[in-house]
Amino acid sequence: MSWWEDAVGYEVYLRSFADGDDDGIGDFAGLIGKLDYLDELGIDIVWITPFYPSPQADFGYDVADYRGVDAMYGTMDDLDRFVSAAHERDLRVVIDVVPNHSSSEHPFFRSALEGGPGSPHWDFYVWRDPAPDGGPPNNWLSFFGGPAWTYVPKWDRYYMHLFLPEQPDFNWQSRAVADYFVETLRFWVAKGVDGFRIDVAHALVEDSRFRDNPIGESEAGTVAVGGEFDVFEHVHDYDQPGVTDIYRRWKEELGPHVLLLGEVYLTEPEPVVRYIAEGHLDEAFYFGLNRISWDAVEFAKRVRAACDAMSRGWSWVQGSHDESRAVTRFGGGQHGWERAMALWVAMMGLPGTPFLYQGDELGLDDGHVAIEDIADPVGLEDPEAGRDPCRTPMPWTTGVHNGFSSSQPWLRSARRRPEETVEVQMGDPESRLSRMKELIRVRRATSELRSGELRWLESPPGTLAFSRGDVAHIANLTDDAATVGFEEGWDMVHVVGGRVTRVGGQFTLSPRCGAILKRSTAN
Ligand code: NOJ
């Protein structure tokens, strides 16, 4: 079994986690100071978002130096200290790698822009001639809105960018680009990094003929960024042949113990399977629940379909720094949190690695950011779609700026209520934080029993019930009571967010409740 298979991951959005030097921006010093908190929470993997030198047009997902540390986050020594301090606590470190695009300030792109087709870096990026009418070469759109192409009059060419114009796409047909990234990954592995979260892992390769994307059906109930982007079927800019070969080479070069975790942002499970099944990536996030509104029956159906499509290799997430927080998307407040917790009970038992997003353990709703304080480039275009509300600073205390920093945080937001903070929740055995800790503890305590194959148990729509070896997990996502029948010999170990009543082998869970059972013969 690989080390990540029985681990629990945790995403740190570095800018907003903890500020060690009081400049209002989260950093390595702050993170190091919170490692004991993460250790006590019981997680095993810390994934940190990009810390590389960057103009921050997309808050670090526009990298200007793939082998450096931006001074706003600290120094390379601080990063080294962080890796050692994490390892001392048996926490693994996963860093973000951003191979789809660089910053337009990266020396490679600057060289291409200045030297034109004669530059040694011209071919590092995707350049095309204008269409006959002088317009963009095709109808591809940027995920953040507007065309995926920017015209450079000096060279009479367009360059492609699936995101901001400040994020030019690399040309992965270039061997030099491929070699550069392998060297970069080796550099970080030599520093002790345990794995990589691969940004936009599905989109590194483009259609060789750059054909137009057809117009498709807009996905109903979508809540995330995308807008007009979703009007198109992304058959020529996403998930192209050859993309998984990139990861096959990475796996071969880095070896089996370095986790390759892909942000394969395809909402259907089947195409994602290919990224894992052929030994390319180790895991991919499951995003099937992130862009639809809460619907217990649909959620349960999707999770099950994902497991049917692939028996291992999912990283289970409810949210990230890219979409509204799970509790908010699931209805908000107490209800939203209860739903999230019931779903976590399933995610903590399924094969794969559950990944919390910072603040999930506190059961946080979205933060509030006033319209004049919007910082996210997506939000500046469309406040409804903006990603600031999930990126507000982590509420550590009831003090100034919720203990994140003594200076004004980079993202201004409304103060969190005392009961939302770590300080208050820490001392309360009934708090959301305590419930999450307990769930992780139970998962760990039963992990050896959970070694068996996944078997689905008969259960009502809107519920997930399964056993793995001598452990069973039930998640009642619905707003009604739900009953699941067991053979003899099963006992309750843990209940989350409600009540379970038992009559013989029938276990009835109250609405939005999760439960973990153990076969008593395994005692
Ligand atoms: C996905 C990242 O999670 C998101 O924050 C970023 O804007 C895009 N990729 C582009 O890198």
Side-chain angles (χ1 to χ4, degrees):
M1 191 196 254
S2 307
W3 58 262
W4 51 84
E5 285 185 72
D6 61 355
V8 176
Y10 186 96
E11 177 189 353
V12 166
Y13 189 67
L14 194 57
R15 294 181 69 81
S16 298
F17 193 61
D19 181 12
D21 63 1
D22 282 327
D23 64 353
I25 303 172
D27 50 32
F28 281 114
L31 172 56
I32 292 169
K34 299 298 182 190
L35 282 176
D36 285 336
Y37 166 78
L38 293 178
D39 194 23
E40 227 184 277
L41 177 58
I43 56 106
D44 309 282
I45 309 173
V46 185
W47 151 34
I48 43 169
T49 50
F51 50 78
Y52 311 104
S54 158
Q56 306 288 323
D58 188 17
F59 296 115
Y61 285 94
D62 48 323
V63 178
D65 173 2
Y66 284 87
R67 299 181 198 166
V69 175
D70 199 299
M72 73 175 70
Y73 299 122
T75 61
M76 194 58 95
D77 282 347
D78 293 328
L79 179 140
D80 291 338
R81 280 200 300 128
F82 158 63
V83 174
S84 317
H87 287 169
E88 274 162 27
R89 292 163 177 82
D90 281 335
L91 298 171
R92 306 267 188 169
V93 174
V94 167
I95 63 172
D96 234 299
V97 58
V98 189
N100 181 67
H101 46 265
S102 70
S103 160
S104 52
E105 293 301 313
H106 193 290
F108 294 160
F109 192 70
R110 298 235 48 94
S111 150
L113 211 52
E114 277 151 31
S119 153
H121 301 108
W122 178 261
D123 275 344
F124 277 36
Y125 294 92
V126 181
W127 299 95
R128 304 290 289 171
D129 289 336
D133 67 355
N138 65 20
N139 71 355
W140 295 358
L141 293 179
S142 152
F143 188 69
F144 290 162
W149 299 96
T150 290
Y151 184 59
V152 178
K154 185 174 172 192
W155 306 113
D156 189 26
R157 298 279 213 294
Y158 281 85
Y159 70 85
M160 190 205 143
H161 48 87
L162 203 47
F163 296 91
L164 298 172
E166 292 87 349
Q167 294 168 295
D169 270 47
F170 277 115
N171 168 24
W172 274 88
Q173 305 306 331
S174 155
R175 182 73 191 180
V177 167
D179 291 347
Y180 174 76
F181 272 95
V182 167
E183 286 308 308
T184 301
L185 299 177
R186 285 186 181 288
F187 171 87
W188 290 112
V189 170
K191 287 212 151 278
V193 157
D194 301 291
F196 298 94
R197 178 265 190 190
I198 303 157
D199 191 55
V200 203
H202 54 288
L204 271 52
V205 176
E206 291 80 39
D207 175 46
S208 56
R209 289 192 280 147
F210 289 87
R211 284 168 287 185
D212 279 352
N213 280 324
I215 291 182
E217 298 263 306
S218 173
E219 205 183 333
T222 184
V223 290
V225 295
E228 58 176 350
F229 189 84
D230 288 340
V231 169
F232 290 91
E233 280 181 25
H234 292 276
V235 292
H236 296 310
D237 53 351
Y238 271 19
D239 193 29
Q240 297 299 296
V243 68
T244 56
D245 295 342
I246 297 170
Y247 310 124
R248 189 207 302 275
R249 177 166 175 211
W250 289 9
K251 187 86 268 185
E252 281 166 7
E253 301 264 5
L254 302 175
H257 304 302
V258 174
L259 170 65
L260 295 181
L261 166 55
E263 188 212 19
V264 185
Y265 216 117
L266 305 168
T267 44
E268 293 304 319
E270 285 73 19
V272 183
V273 172
R274 201 164 53 86
Y275 289 71
I276 312 284
E278 295 158 25
H280 308 124
L281 298 180
D282 298 299
E283 288 200 343
F285 292 111
Y286 178 63
F287 288 120
L289 309 179
N290 293 32
R291 300 189 76 189
I292 59 167
S293 312
W294 177 264
D295 176 338
V297 174
E298 182 62 22
F299 268 44
K301 230 198 259 170
R302 286 190 180 213
V303 168
R304 207 169 151 165
C307 295
D308 289 346
M310 181 161 82
S311 60
R312 53 202 283 231
W314 291 115
S315 279
W316 300 103
V317 287
Q318 296 193 0
S320 73
H321 63 284
D322 284 334
E323 57 264 306
S324 189
R325 284 186 171 277
V327 170
T328 301
R329 292 195 337 270
F330 297 172
Q334 180 69 14
H335 245 62
W337 172 70
E338 287 173 8
R339 288 169 169 168
M341 282 308 281
L343 185 58
W344 279 124
V345 170
M347 290 179 163
M348 292 275 175
L350 291 168
T353 309
F355 258 86
L356 307 186
Y357 172 52
Q358 67 186 45
D360 280 353
E361 73 277 25
L362 303 174
L364 292 183
D365 258 298
D366 277 341
H368 179 71
V369 176
I371 218 144
E372 60 276 16
D373 293 327
I374 289 177
D376 176 28
V378 176
L380 291 168
E381 285 294 316
D382 173 5
E384 289 295 300
R387 301 170 293 178
D388 292 322
C390 63
R391 297 176 174 182
T392 58
M394 180 79 176
W396 294 103
T397 70
T398 55
V400 64
H401 303 309
N402 285 127
F404 163 74
S405 175
S406 53
S407 304
Q408 179 60 54
W410 68 277
L411 179 59
R412 275 176 192 265
S413 60
R415 197 187 178 84
R416 292 283 190 174
R417 286 174 287 116
E419 59 273 26
E420 291 179 290
T421 65
V422 172
E423 181 185 8
V424 169
Q425 293 203 22
M426 192 80 104
D428 174 3
E430 299 299 315
S431 70
R432 295 178 179 187
L433 175 60
S434 300
R435 305 286 173 89
M436 181 58 88
K437 257 193 213 170
E438 187 59 10
L439 176 58
I440 296 173
R441 192 196 60 74
V442 172
R443 171 188 156 101
R444 191 184 291 276
T446 52
S447 71
E448 269 173 33
L449 305 176
R450 207 183 288 97
S451 54
E453 217 177 283
L454 176 69
R455 289 188 43 207
W456 292 100
L457 306 170
E458 211 172 298
S459 71
T463 67
L464 292 160
F466 55 88
S467 67
R468 287 179 64 201
D470 290 322
V471 181
H473 287 232
I474 313 174
N476 176 13
L477 307 180
T478 74
D479 294 330
D480 301 309
T483 302
V484 180
F486 280 80
E487 295 158 6
E488 256 183 51
W490 287 89
D491 289 318
M492 191 65 59
V493 180
H494 187 58
V495 179
V496 176
R499 270 170 303 102
V500 178
T501 44
R502 175 181 187 174
V503 178
Q506 303 292 307
F507 291 78
T508 301
L509 280 69
S510 60
R512 304 176 298 283
C513 170
I516 299 175
L517 283 69
K518 174 164 107 171
R519 216 195 299 262
S520 53
T521 47
N523 277 332

